[in-house]
Amino acid sequence: AQNVEIPAKINLKKSLYAAVDLKIGDVLTASNMQIKSPNDGIEPVHFDMLIGKRLVQNVSNDNPITWGALLNE
């Protein structure tokens, strides 16, 4: 049973998701990001740091925001 519990705990962790359809060049704001499960993207601890970052990839509504989608500035 222990092996089953570990993946379940990982899925309960949260990450940042797009709250709307985001396009290349869009800037992340508090209103276009949301915190959801499972942990498929960037952890919510980075929420404030990501505000103002520009996207280099499209991120569809309800999809996780990943480090690869962000412009390295």
Side-chain angles (χ1 to χ4, degrees), residues 27-39:
V27 175
L28 294 176
T29 66
S31 62
N32 65 16
M33 293 187 289
Q34 58 187 337
I35 298 170
K36 297 177 68 170
S37 293
N39 183 9

Side-chain angles (χ1 to χ4, degrees), residues 11-43:
N11 283 339
L12 290 176
K13 286 187 170 186
K14 297 182 184 293
S15 62
L16 296 173
Y17 281 70
V20 296
D21 287 334
L22 299 170
K23 300 196 181 320
I24 293 171
D26 283 353
V27 175
L28 294 176
T29 66
S31 62
N32 65 16
M33 293 187 289
Q34 58 187 337
I35 298 170
K36 297 177 68 170
S37 293
N39 183 9
D40 290 334
I42 299 172
E43 294 181 358

Side-chain angles (χ1 to χ4, degrees), residues 40-62:
D40 290 334
I42 299 172
E43 294 181 358
V45 69
H46 301 292
F47 187 91
D48 289 339
M49 183 188 78
L50 294 182
I51 293 174
K53 295 288 186 187
R54 193 170 303 277
L55 294 174
V56 295
Q57 294 177 355
N58 293 333
V59 183
S60 299
N61 185 27
D62 271 345

